[in-house]
PDB file of all heavy atoms in Angstrom:
ATOM      1  N   VAL A   7       7.125 -12.186  -2.555  1.00  0.00           N
ATOM      2  CA  VAL A   7       6.017 -12.837  -1.847  1.00  0.00           C
ATOM      3  C   VAL A   7       6.149 -12.512  -0.362  1.00  0.00           C
ATOM      4  O   VAL A   7       7.177 -12.788   0.253  1.00  0.00           O
ATOM      5  CB  VAL A   7       6.024 -14.360  -2.058  1.00  0.00           C
ATOM      6  CG1 VAL A   7       4.890 -15.011  -1.263  1.00  0.00           C
ATOM      7  CG2 VAL A   7       5.895 -14.697  -3.540  1.00  0.00           C
ATOM      8  N   LEU A   8       5.106 -11.912   0.191  1.00  0.00           N
ATOM      9  CA  LEU A   8       5.057 -11.600   1.612  1.00  0.00           C
ATOM     10  C   LEU A   8       4.087 -12.562   2.286  1.00  0.00           C
ATOM     11  O   LEU A   8       2.922 -12.669   1.882  1.00  0.00           O
ATOM     12  CB  LEU A   8       4.597 -10.159   1.841  1.00  0.00           C
ATOM     13  CG  LEU A   8       5.376  -9.069   1.089  1.00  0.00           C
ATOM     14  CD1 LEU A   8       4.863  -7.688   1.477  1.00  0.00           C
ATOM     15  CD2 LEU A   8       6.871  -9.178   1.352  1.00  0.00           C
ATOM     16  N   VAL A   9       4.566 -13.272   3.301  1.00  0.00           N
ATOM     17  CA  VAL A   9       3.793 -14.307   3.974  1.00  0.00           C
ATOM     18  C   VAL A   9       3.154 -13.728   5.232  1.00  0.00           C
ATOM     19  O   VAL A   9       3.836 -13.153   6.082  1.00  0.00           O
ATOM     20  CB  VAL A   9       4.676 -15.522   4.341  1.00  0.00           C
ATOM     21  CG1 VAL A   9       3.838 -16.616   4.994  1.00  0.00           C
ATOM     22  CG2 VAL A   9       5.382 -16.055   3.089  1.00  0.00           C
ATOM     23  N   GLY A  10       1.839 -13.897   5.344  1.00  0.00           N
ATOM     24  CA  GLY A  10       1.101 -13.310   6.448  1.00  0.00           C
ATOM     25  C   GLY A  10       1.015 -14.196   7.672  1.00  0.00           C
ATOM     26  O   GLY A  10       1.499 -15.339   7.695  1.00  0.00           O
ATOM     27  N   ALA A  11       0.342 -13.657   8.699  1.00  0.00           N
ATOM     28  CA  ALA A  11       0.233 -14.358   9.976  1.00  0.00           C
ATOM     29  C   ALA A  11      -0.677 -15.577   9.894  1.00  0.00           C
ATOM     30  O   ALA A  11      -0.609 -16.463  10.748  1.00  0.00           O
ATOM     31  CB  ALA A  11      -0.282 -13.396  11.047  1.00  0.00           C
ATOM     32  N   GLY A  12      -1.530 -15.635   8.865  1.00  0.00           N
ATOM     33  CA  GLY A  12      -2.449 -16.764   8.737  1.00  0.00           C
ATOM     34  C   GLY A  12      -1.766 -18.075   8.423  1.00  0.00           C
ATOM     35  O   GLY A  12      -2.371 -19.139   8.588  1.00  0.00           O
ATOM     36  N   LEU A  13      -0.545 -18.041   7.956  1.00  0.00           N
ATOM     37  CA  LEU A  13       0.231 -19.260   7.685  1.00  0.00           C
ATOM     38  C   LEU A  13       1.338 -19.350   8.722  1.00  0.00           C
ATOM     39  O   LEU A  13       2.131 -18.418   8.870  1.00  0.00           O
ATOM     40  CB  LEU A  13       0.845 -19.210   6.277  1.00  0.00           C
ATOM     41  CG  LEU A  13      -0.134 -19.159   5.097  1.00  0.00           C
ATOM     42  CD1 LEU A  13       0.621 -19.020   3.788  1.00  0.00           C
ATOM     43  CD2 LEU A  13      -1.010 -20.405   5.065  1.00  0.00           C
ATOM     44  N   ASP A  14       1.377 -20.476   9.454  1.00  0.00           N
ATOM     45  CA  ASP A  14       2.454 -20.625  10.422  1.00  0.00           C
ATOM     46  C   ASP A  14       3.774 -20.847   9.695  1.00  0.00           C
ATOM     47  O   ASP A  14       3.816 -20.930   8.461  1.00  0.00           O
ATOM     48  CB  ASP A  14       2.159 -21.753  11.424  1.00  0.00           C
ATOM     49  CG  ASP A  14       1.979 -23.110  10.753  1.00  0.00           C
ATOM     50  OD1 ASP A  14       2.563 -23.328   9.667  1.00  0.00           O
ATOM     51  OD2 ASP A  14       1.271 -23.970  11.322  1.00  0.00           O
ATOM     52  N   ALA A  15       4.848 -20.945  10.446  1.00  0.00           N
ATOM     53  CA  ALA A  15       6.178 -21.013   9.828  1.00  0.00           C
ATOM     54  C   ALA A  15       6.294 -22.199   8.884  1.00  0.00           C
ATOM     55  O   ALA A  15       6.822 -22.076   7.768  1.00  0.00           O
ATOM     56  CB  ALA A  15       7.252 -21.079  10.920  1.00  0.00           C
ATOM     57  N   ALA A  16       5.793 -23.355   9.314  1.00  0.00           N
ATOM     58  CA  ALA A  16       5.908 -24.552   8.481  1.00  0.00           C
ATOM     59  C   ALA A  16       5.079 -24.430   7.212  1.00  0.00           C
ATOM     60  O   ALA A  16       5.538 -24.735   6.101  1.00  0.00           O
ATOM     61  CB  ALA A  16       5.486 -25.783   9.285  1.00  0.00           C
ATOM     62  N   ALA A  17       3.828 -23.987   7.359  1.00  0.00           N
ATOM     63  CA  ALA A  17       2.953 -23.853   6.197  1.00  0.00           C
ATOM     64  C   ALA A  17       3.475 -22.784   5.242  1.00  0.00           C
ATOM     65  O   ALA A  17       3.452 -22.965   4.011  1.00  0.00           O
ATOM     66  CB  ALA A  17       1.546 -23.498   6.654  1.00  0.00           C
ATOM     67  N   GLY A  18       3.970 -21.681   5.791  1.00  0.00           N
ATOM     68  CA  GLY A  18       4.521 -20.637   4.940  1.00  0.00           C
ATOM     69  C   GLY A  18       5.723 -21.117   4.159  1.00  0.00           C
ATOM     70  O   GLY A  18       5.869 -20.813   2.967  1.00  0.00           O
ATOM     71  N   ALA A  19       6.612 -21.865   4.823  1.00  0.00           N
ATOM     72  CA  ALA A  19       7.791 -22.391   4.136  1.00  0.00           C
ATOM     73  C   ALA A  19       7.391 -23.363   3.043  1.00  0.00           C
ATOM     74  O   ALA A  19       7.987 -23.379   1.947  1.00  0.00           O
ATOM     75  CB  ALA A  19       8.720 -23.067   5.146  1.00  0.00           C
ATOM     76  N   ALA A  20       6.371 -24.189   3.307  1.00  0.00           N
ATOM     77  CA  ALA A  20       5.929 -25.167   2.309  1.00  0.00           C
ATOM     78  C   ALA A  20       5.381 -24.459   1.073  1.00  0.00           C
ATOM     79  O   ALA A  20       5.674 -24.848  -0.069  1.00  0.00           O
ATOM     80  CB  ALA A  20       4.869 -26.086   2.921  1.00  0.00           C
ATOM     81  N   VAL A  21       4.564 -23.421   1.284  1.00  0.00           N
ATOM     82  CA  VAL A  21       3.993 -22.699   0.156  1.00  0.00           C
ATOM     83  C   VAL A  21       5.089 -22.019  -0.662  1.00  0.00           C
ATOM     84  O   VAL A  21       5.109 -22.109  -1.901  1.00  0.00           O
ATOM     85  CB  VAL A  21       2.971 -21.654   0.653  1.00  0.00           C
ATOM     86  CG1 VAL A  21       2.548 -20.738  -0.492  1.00  0.00           C
ATOM     87  CG2 VAL A  21       1.754 -22.338   1.247  1.00  0.00           C
ATOM     88  N   THR A  22       6.000 -21.329   0.013  1.00  0.00           N
ATOM     89  CA  THR A  22       7.032 -20.600  -0.730  1.00  0.00           C
ATOM     90  C   THR A  22       7.998 -21.554  -1.435  1.00  0.00           C
ATOM     91  O   THR A  22       8.512 -21.226  -2.518  1.00  0.00           O
ATOM     92  CB  THR A  22       7.813 -19.661   0.204  1.00  0.00           C
ATOM     93  OG1 THR A  22       8.346 -20.402   1.310  1.00  0.00           O
ATOM     94  CG2 THR A  22       6.905 -18.556   0.730  1.00  0.00           C
ATOM     95  N   ASP A  23       8.233 -22.750  -0.883  1.00  0.00           N
ATOM     96  CA  ASP A  23       9.066 -23.740  -1.576  1.00  0.00           C
ATOM     97  C   ASP A  23       8.420 -24.172  -2.886  1.00  0.00           C
ATOM     98  O   ASP A  23       9.098 -24.306  -3.920  1.00  0.00           O
ATOM     99  CB  ASP A  23       9.301 -24.964  -0.686  1.00  0.00           C
ATOM    100  CG  ASP A  23      10.300 -24.694   0.440  1.00  0.00           C
ATOM    101  OD1 ASP A  23      10.999 -23.656   0.370  1.00  0.00           O
ATOM    102  OD2 ASP A  23      10.375 -25.509   1.368  1.00  0.00           O
ATOM    103  N   VAL A  24       7.104 -24.396  -2.844  1.00  0.00           N
ATOM    104  CA  VAL A  24       6.395 -24.796  -4.067  1.00  0.00           C
ATOM    105  C   VAL A  24       6.439 -23.665  -5.094  1.00  0.00           C
ATOM    106  O   VAL A  24       6.664 -23.908  -6.296  1.00  0.00           O
ATOM    107  CB  VAL A  24       4.936 -25.185  -3.740  1.00  0.00           C
ATOM    108  CG1 VAL A  24       4.143 -25.390  -5.023  1.00  0.00           C
ATOM    109  CG2 VAL A  24       4.895 -26.435  -2.883  1.00  0.00           C
ATOM    110  N   LEU A  25       6.224 -22.431  -4.639  1.00  0.00           N
ATOM    111  CA  LEU A  25       6.267 -21.296  -5.564  1.00  0.00           C
ATOM    112  C   LEU A  25       7.661 -21.115  -6.157  1.00  0.00           C
ATOM    113  O   LEU A  25       7.810 -20.782  -7.343  1.00  0.00           O
ATOM    114  CB  LEU A  25       5.837 -20.017  -4.840  1.00  0.00           C
ATOM    115  CG  LEU A  25       4.382 -19.950  -4.356  1.00  0.00           C
ATOM    116  CD1 LEU A  25       4.102 -18.617  -3.691  1.00  0.00           C
ATOM    117  CD2 LEU A  25       3.417 -20.176  -5.527  1.00  0.00           C
ATOM    118  N   GLN A  26       8.689 -21.322  -5.353  1.00  0.00           N
ATOM    119  CA  GLN A  26      10.057 -21.216  -5.840  1.00  0.00           C
ATOM    120  C   GLN A  26      10.317 -22.224  -6.964  1.00  0.00           C
ATOM    121  O   GLN A  26      10.883 -21.885  -8.017  1.00  0.00           O
ATOM    122  CB  GLN A  26      11.026 -21.443  -4.679  1.00  0.00           C
ATOM    123  CG  GLN A  26      12.457 -21.069  -4.961  1.00  0.00           C
ATOM    124  CD  GLN A  26      12.701 -19.582  -4.966  1.00  0.00           C
ATOM    125  OE1 GLN A  26      12.886 -18.988  -6.031  1.00  0.00           O
ATOM    126  NE2 GLN A  26      12.706 -18.965  -3.783  1.00  0.00           N
ATOM    127  N   GLU A  27       9.866 -23.439  -6.750  1.00  0.00           N
ATOM    128  CA  GLU A  27      10.048 -24.480  -7.761  1.00  0.00           C
ATOM    129  C   GLU A  27       9.241 -24.179  -9.008  1.00  0.00           C
ATOM    130  O   GLU A  27       9.703 -24.377 -10.143  1.00  0.00           O
ATOM    131  CB  GLU A  27       9.633 -25.828  -7.164  1.00  0.00           C
ATOM    132  CG  GLU A  27       9.844 -27.001  -8.118  1.00  0.00           C
ATOM    133  CD  GLU A  27       9.475 -28.330  -7.473  1.00  0.00           C
ATOM    134  OE1 GLU A  27       9.164 -28.339  -6.262  1.00  0.00           O
ATOM    135  OE2 GLU A  27       9.491 -29.347  -8.193  1.00  0.00           O
ATOM    136  N   HIS A  28       8.007 -23.677  -8.812  1.00  0.00           N
ATOM    137  CA  HIS A  28       7.148 -23.363  -9.957  1.00  0.00           C
ATOM    138  C   HIS A  28       7.762 -22.258 -10.819  1.00  0.00           C
ATOM    139  O   HIS A  28       7.765 -22.362 -12.065  1.00  0.00           O
ATOM    140  CB  HIS A  28       5.760 -22.948  -9.467  1.00  0.00           C
ATOM    141  CG  HIS A  28       4.808 -22.622 -10.564  1.00  0.00           C
ATOM    142  ND1 HIS A  28       4.145 -23.576 -11.305  1.00  0.00           N
ATOM    143  CD2 HIS A  28       4.415 -21.415 -11.081  1.00  0.00           C
ATOM    144  CE1 HIS A  28       3.388 -22.991 -12.210  1.00  0.00           C
ATOM    145  NE2 HIS A  28       3.534 -21.675 -12.097  1.00  0.00           N
ATOM    146  N   VAL A  29       8.259 -21.215 -10.178  1.00  0.00           N
ATOM    147  CA  VAL A  29       8.875 -20.123 -10.939  1.00  0.00           C
ATOM    148  C   VAL A  29      10.111 -20.630 -11.673  1.00  0.00           C
ATOM    149  O   VAL A  29      10.348 -20.287 -12.840  1.00  0.00           O
ATOM    150  CB  VAL A  29       9.230 -18.954  -9.999  1.00  0.00           C
ATOM    151  CG1 VAL A  29      10.112 -17.940 -10.718  1.00  0.00           C
ATOM    152  CG2 VAL A  29       7.967 -18.278  -9.495  1.00  0.00           C
ATOM    153  N   HIS A  30      10.904 -21.460 -11.019  1.00  0.00           N
ATOM    154  CA  HIS A  30      12.109 -22.004 -11.651  1.00  0.00           C
ATOM    155  C   HIS A  30      11.762 -22.811 -12.891  1.00  0.00           C
ATOM    156  O   HIS A  30      12.444 -22.714 -13.934  1.00  0.00           O
ATOM    157  CB  HIS A  30      12.868 -22.873 -10.644  1.00  0.00           C
ATOM    158  CG  HIS A  30      14.094 -23.511 -11.208  1.00  0.00           C
ATOM    159  ND1 HIS A  30      14.076 -24.749 -11.851  1.00  0.00           N
ATOM    160  CD2 HIS A  30      15.391 -23.089 -11.261  1.00  0.00           C
ATOM    161  CE1 HIS A  30      15.283 -25.047 -12.253  1.00  0.00           C
ATOM    162  NE2 HIS A  30      16.106 -24.052 -11.904  1.00  0.00           N
ATOM    163  N   ASP A  31      10.687 -23.616 -12.805  1.00  0.00           N
ATOM    164  CA  ASP A  31      10.346 -24.516 -13.905  1.00  0.00           C
ATOM    165  C   ASP A  31       9.563 -23.837 -15.014  1.00  0.00           C
ATOM    166  O   ASP A  31       9.711 -24.203 -16.194  1.00  0.00           O
ATOM    167  CB  ASP A  31       9.527 -25.703 -13.377  1.00  0.00           C
ATOM    168  CG  ASP A  31      10.347 -26.609 -12.463  1.00  0.00           C
ATOM    169  OD1 ASP A  31      11.593 -26.509 -12.488  1.00  0.00           O
ATOM    170  OD2 ASP A  31       9.737 -27.398 -11.706  1.00  0.00           O
ATOM    171  N   HIS A  32       8.714 -22.874 -14.672  1.00  0.00           N
ATOM    172  CA  HIS A  32       7.789 -22.327 -15.658  1.00  0.00           C
ATOM    173  C   HIS A  32       8.071 -20.875 -16.054  1.00  0.00           C
ATOM    174  O   HIS A  32       7.513 -20.386 -17.044  1.00  0.00           O
ATOM    175  CB  HIS A  32       6.345 -22.422 -15.151  1.00  0.00           C
ATOM    176  CG  HIS A  32       5.867 -23.823 -14.975  1.00  0.00           C
ATOM    177  ND1 HIS A  32       6.087 -24.555 -13.822  1.00  0.00           N
ATOM    178  CD2 HIS A  32       5.189 -24.658 -15.819  1.00  0.00           C
ATOM    179  CE1 HIS A  32       5.563 -25.760 -13.945  1.00  0.00           C
ATOM    180  NE2 HIS A  32       5.006 -25.849 -15.154  1.00  0.00           N
ATOM    181  N   HIS A  33       8.914 -20.194 -15.300  1.00  0.00           N
ATOM    182  CA  HIS A  33       9.219 -18.796 -15.621  1.00  0.00           C
ATOM    183  C   HIS A  33      10.721 -18.576 -15.488  1.00  0.00           C
ATOM    184  O   HIS A  33      11.186 -17.835 -14.599  1.00  0.00           O
ATOM    185  CB  HIS A  33       8.444 -17.854 -14.685  1.00  0.00           C
ATOM    186  CG  HIS A  33       6.965 -18.037 -14.742  1.00  0.00           C
ATOM    187  ND1 HIS A  33       6.176 -17.518 -15.733  1.00  0.00           N
ATOM    188  CD2 HIS A  33       6.123 -18.718 -13.891  1.00  0.00           C
ATOM    189  CE1 HIS A  33       4.908 -17.845 -15.512  1.00  0.00           C
ATOM    190  NE2 HIS A  33       4.859 -18.579 -14.397  1.00  0.00           N
ATOM    191  N   PRO A  34      11.495 -19.197 -16.338  1.00  0.00           N
ATOM    192  CA  PRO A  34      12.957 -19.087 -16.243  1.00  0.00           C
ATOM    193  C   PRO A  34      13.413 -17.639 -16.402  1.00  0.00           C
ATOM    194  O   PRO A  34      12.837 -16.882 -17.180  1.00  0.00           O
ATOM    195  CB  PRO A  34      13.452 -19.960 -17.395  1.00  0.00           C
ATOM    196  CG  PRO A  34      12.294 -20.083 -18.327  1.00  0.00           C
ATOM    197  CD  PRO A  34      11.075 -20.036 -17.490  1.00  0.00           C
ATOM    198  N   GLY A  35      14.427 -17.278 -15.629  1.00  0.00           N
ATOM    199  CA  GLY A  35      14.953 -15.914 -15.672  1.00  0.00           C
ATOM    200  C   GLY A  35      14.287 -14.986 -14.679  1.00  0.00           C
ATOM    201  O   GLY A  35      14.719 -13.840 -14.527  1.00  0.00           O
ATOM    202  N   THR A  36      13.245 -15.468 -14.017  1.00  0.00           N
ATOM    203  CA  THR A  36      12.556 -14.651 -13.017  1.00  0.00           C
ATOM    204  C   THR A  36      13.033 -15.055 -11.617  1.00  0.00           C
ATOM    205  O   THR A  36      13.079 -16.237 -11.285  1.00  0.00           O
ATOM    206  CB  THR A  36      11.028 -14.833 -13.112  1.00  0.00           C
ATOM    207  OG1 THR A  36      10.589 -14.406 -14.403  1.00  0.00           O
ATOM    208  CG2 THR A  36      10.324 -14.003 -12.045  1.00  0.00           C
ATOM    209  N   GLU A  37      13.368 -14.063 -10.811  1.00  0.00           N
ATOM    210  CA  GLU A  37      13.813 -14.318  -9.442  1.00  0.00           C
ATOM    211  C   GLU A  37      12.630 -14.196  -8.486  1.00  0.00           C
ATOM    212  O   GLU A  37      11.771 -13.323  -8.653  1.00  0.00           O
ATOM    213  CB  GLU A  37      14.897 -13.320  -9.053  1.00  0.00           C
ATOM    214  CG  GLU A  37      15.425 -13.490  -7.630  1.00  0.00           C
ATOM    215  CD  GLU A  37      16.408 -12.419  -7.222  1.00  0.00           C
ATOM    216  OE1 GLU A  37      16.664 -11.518  -8.046  1.00  0.00           O
ATOM    217  OE2 GLU A  37      16.895 -12.476  -6.082  1.00  0.00           O
ATOM    218  N   LEU A  38      12.569 -15.068  -7.488  1.00  0.00           N
ATOM    219  CA  LEU A  38      11.517 -15.001  -6.479  1.00  0.00           C
ATOM    220  C   LEU A  38      12.147 -14.837  -5.107  1.00  0.00           C
ATOM    221  O   LEU A  38      13.044 -15.594  -4.731  1.00  0.00           O
ATOM    222  CB  LEU A  38      10.636 -16.263  -6.503  1.00  0.00           C
ATOM    223  CG  LEU A  38       9.424 -16.264  -5.553  1.00  0.00           C
ATOM    224  CD1 LEU A  38       8.234 -16.957  -6.198  1.00  0.00           C
ATOM    225  CD2 LEU A  38       9.767 -16.952  -4.222  1.00  0.00           C
ATOM    226  N   VAL A  39      11.687 -13.800  -4.355  1.00  0.00           N
ATOM    227  CA  VAL A  39      12.153 -13.590  -2.984  1.00  0.00           C
ATOM    228  C   VAL A  39      10.943 -13.602  -2.067  1.00  0.00           C
ATOM    229  O   VAL A  39       9.847 -13.166  -2.444  1.00  0.00           O
ATOM    230  CB  VAL A  39      12.926 -12.262  -2.834  1.00  0.00           C
ATOM    231  CG1 VAL A  39      14.205 -12.289  -3.646  1.00  0.00           C
ATOM    232  CG2 VAL A  39      12.055 -11.077  -3.235  1.00  0.00           C
ATOM    233  N   THR A  40      11.122 -14.132  -0.871  1.00  0.00           N
ATOM    234  CA  THR A  40      10.020 -14.226   0.084  1.00  0.00           C
ATOM    235  C   THR A  40      10.432 -13.601   1.421  1.00  0.00           C
ATOM    236  O   THR A  40      11.597 -13.653   1.819  1.00  0.00           O
ATOM    237  CB  THR A  40       9.604 -15.692   0.316  1.00  0.00           C
ATOM    238  OG1 THR A  40      10.698 -16.413   0.890  1.00  0.00           O
ATOM    239  CG2 THR A  40       9.193 -16.342  -0.995  1.00  0.00           C
ATOM    240  N   TYR A  41       9.452 -13.020   2.088  1.00  0.00           N
ATOM    241  CA  TYR A  41       9.653 -12.459   3.430  1.00  0.00           C
ATOM    242  C   TYR A  41       8.445 -12.845   4.284  1.00  0.00           C
ATOM    243  O   TYR A  41       7.300 -12.786   3.811  1.00  0.00           O
ATOM    244  CB  TYR A  41       9.752 -10.926   3.388  1.00  0.00           C
ATOM    245  CG  TYR A  41      10.847 -10.392   2.519  1.00  0.00           C
ATOM    246  CD1 TYR A  41      10.572  -9.965   1.216  1.00  0.00           C
ATOM    247  CD2 TYR A  41      12.154 -10.298   2.981  1.00  0.00           C
ATOM    248  CE1 TYR A  41      11.570  -9.454   0.405  1.00  0.00           C
ATOM    249  CE2 TYR A  41      13.169  -9.792   2.175  1.00  0.00           C
ATOM    250  CZ  TYR A  41      12.867  -9.378   0.888  1.00  0.00           C
ATOM    251  OH  TYR A  41      13.860  -8.869   0.086  1.00  0.00           O
ATOM    252  N   ARG A  42       8.713 -13.194   5.523  1.00  0.00           N
ATOM    253  CA  ARG A  42       7.613 -13.452   6.450  1.00  0.00           C
ATOM    254  C   ARG A  42       7.304 -12.141   7.183  1.00  0.00           C
ATOM    255  O   ARG A  42       8.027 -11.735   8.095  1.00  0.00           O
ATOM    256  CB  ARG A  42       7.972 -14.552   7.448  1.00  0.00           C
ATOM    257  CG  ARG A  42       6.809 -14.911   8.352  1.00  0.00           C
ATOM    258  CD  ARG A  42       7.008 -16.193   9.135  1.00  0.00           C
ATOM    259  NE  ARG A  42       5.805 -16.515   9.872  1.00  0.00           N
ATOM    260  CZ  ARG A  42       4.730 -17.106   9.358  1.00  0.00           C
ATOM    261  NH1 ARG A  42       4.737 -17.480   8.078  1.00  0.00           N
ATOM    262  NH2 ARG A  42       3.668 -17.343  10.088  1.00  0.00           N
ATOM    263  N   THR A  43       6.252 -11.463   6.765  1.00  0.00           N
ATOM    264  CA  THR A  43       5.934 -10.146   7.313  1.00  0.00           C
ATOM    265  C   THR A  43       4.966 -10.221   8.490  1.00  0.00           C
ATOM    266  O   THR A  43       4.914  -9.310   9.309  1.00  0.00           O
ATOM    267  CB  THR A  43       5.336  -9.242   6.226  1.00  0.00           C
ATOM    268  OG1 THR A  43       4.247  -9.927   5.605  1.00  0.00           O
ATOM    269  CG2 THR A  43       6.388  -8.922   5.168  1.00  0.00           C
ATOM    270  N   GLY A  44       4.157 -11.275   8.557  1.00  0.00           N
ATOM    271  CA  GLY A  44       3.223 -11.409   9.670  1.00  0.00           C
ATOM    272  C   GLY A  44       2.008 -10.510   9.579  1.00  0.00           C
ATOM    273  O   GLY A  44       1.324 -10.290  10.596  1.00  0.00           O
ATOM    274  N   HIS A  45       1.695  -9.978   8.376  1.00  0.00           N
ATOM    275  CA  HIS A  45       0.498  -9.161   8.224  1.00  0.00           C
ATOM    276  C   HIS A  45      -0.749 -10.022   8.385  1.00  0.00           C
ATOM    277  O   HIS A  45      -0.714 -11.240   8.184  1.00  0.00           O
ATOM    278  CB  HIS A  45       0.492  -8.481   6.853  1.00  0.00           C
ATOM    279  CG  HIS A  45       0.478  -9.441   5.701  1.00  0.00           C
ATOM    280  ND1 HIS A  45       1.642  -9.911   5.124  1.00  0.00           N
ATOM    281  CD2 HIS A  45      -0.539 -10.053   5.041  1.00  0.00           C
ATOM    282  CE1 HIS A  45       1.338 -10.752   4.151  1.00  0.00           C
ATOM    283  NE2 HIS A  45       0.022 -10.860   4.087  1.00  0.00           N
ATOM    284  N   ARG A  46      -1.844  -9.392   8.749  1.00  0.00           N
ATOM    285  CA  ARG A  46      -3.088 -10.121   8.918  1.00  0.00           C
ATOM    286  C   ARG A  46      -4.024  -9.871   7.753  1.00  0.00           C
ATOM    287  O   ARG A  46      -3.860  -8.933   6.993  1.00  0.00           O
ATOM    288  CB  ARG A  46      -3.740  -9.748  10.252  1.00  0.00           C
ATOM    289  CG  ARG A  46      -3.119 -10.490  11.425  1.00  0.00           C
ATOM    290  CD  ARG A  46      -3.434  -9.842  12.745  1.00  0.00           C
ATOM    291  NE  ARG A  46      -2.588  -8.664  12.951  1.00  0.00           N
ATOM    292  CZ  ARG A  46      -2.548  -7.993  14.104  1.00  0.00           C
ATOM    293  NH1 ARG A  46      -3.296  -8.373  15.114  1.00  0.00           N
ATOM    294  NH2 ARG A  46      -1.749  -6.948  14.234  1.00  0.00           N
ATOM    295  N   GLY A  47      -5.016 -10.747   7.611  1.00  0.00           N
ATOM    296  CA  GLY A  47      -5.944 -10.638   6.491  1.00  0.00           C
ATOM    297  C   GLY A  47      -5.546 -11.592   5.383  1.00  0.00           C
ATOM    298  O   GLY A  47      -5.888 -12.774   5.401  1.00  0.00           O
ATOM    299  N   ASP A  48      -4.780 -11.110   4.416  1.00  0.00           N
ATOM    300  CA  ASP A  48      -4.332 -11.944   3.298  1.00  0.00           C
ATOM    301  C   ASP A  48      -3.269 -12.940   3.762  1.00  0.00           C
ATOM    302  O   ASP A  48      -2.374 -12.593   4.535  1.00  0.00           O
ATOM    303  CB  ASP A  48      -3.748 -11.078   2.182  1.00  0.00           C
ATOM    304  CG  ASP A  48      -4.782 -10.144   1.591  1.00  0.00           C
ATOM    305  OD1 ASP A  48      -5.870 -10.612   1.244  1.00  0.00           O
ATOM    306  OD2 ASP A  48      -4.502  -8.935   1.510  1.00  0.00           O
ATOM    307  N   ALA A  49      -3.373 -14.171   3.237  1.00  0.00           N
ATOM    308  CA  ALA A  49      -2.339 -15.161   3.541  1.00  0.00           C
ATOM    309  C   ALA A  49      -1.031 -14.802   2.859  1.00  0.00           C
ATOM    310  O   ALA A  49       0.052 -14.965   3.439  1.00  0.00           O
ATOM    311  CB  ALA A  49      -2.797 -16.554   3.105  1.00  0.00           C
ATOM    312  N   LEU A  50      -1.121 -14.300   1.626  1.00  0.00           N
ATOM    313  CA  LEU A  50       0.064 -13.918   0.855  1.00  0.00           C
ATOM    314  C   LEU A  50      -0.191 -12.601   0.144  1.00  0.00           C
ATOM    315  O   LEU A  50      -1.317 -12.318  -0.293  1.00  0.00           O
ATOM    316  CB  LEU A  50       0.399 -14.974  -0.202  1.00  0.00           C
ATOM    317  CG  LEU A  50       0.681 -16.407   0.242  1.00  0.00           C
ATOM    318  CD1 LEU A  50       0.793 -17.310  -0.985  1.00  0.00           C
ATOM    319  CD2 LEU A  50       1.959 -16.474   1.065  1.00  0.00           C
ATOM    320  N   LEU A  51       0.827 -11.797   0.026  1.00  0.00           N
ATOM    321  CA  LEU A  51       0.838 -10.645  -0.871  1.00  0.00           C
ATOM    322  C   LEU A  51       1.907 -10.919  -1.924  1.00  0.00           C
ATOM    323  O   LEU A  51       3.035 -11.287  -1.572  1.00  0.00           O
ATOM    324  CB  LEU A  51       1.166  -9.354  -0.118  1.00  0.00           C
ATOM    325  CG  LEU A  51       0.156  -8.894   0.937  1.00  0.00           C
ATOM    326  CD1 LEU A  51       0.685  -7.674   1.682  1.00  0.00           C
ATOM    327  CD2 LEU A  51      -1.189  -8.570   0.301  1.00  0.00           C
ATOM    328  N   ILE A  52       1.558 -10.753  -3.193  1.00  0.00           N
ATOM    329  CA  ILE A  52       2.473 -11.085  -4.283  1.00  0.00           C
ATOM    330  C   ILE A  52       2.650  -9.870  -5.186  1.00  0.00           C
ATOM    331  O   ILE A  52       1.671  -9.230  -5.580  1.00  0.00           O
ATOM    332  CB  ILE A  52       1.953 -12.280  -5.112  1.00  0.00           C
ATOM    333  CG1 ILE A  52       1.793 -13.510  -4.212  1.00  0.00           C
ATOM    334  CG2 ILE A  52       2.899 -12.595  -6.275  1.00  0.00           C
ATOM    335  CD1 ILE A  52       1.203 -14.709  -4.922  1.00  0.00           C
TER     336      ILE A  52
END
């Protein structure tokens, strides 16, 4: 998950925390990594 400039640090962290928990609970065995890339346009690239 690449976090864009449209989400500030707090909002980006909140979104990725929820996604981390969702993957843990609903897709066991799948690893999730996130990077704050600061790209513009899309809020997230997945």
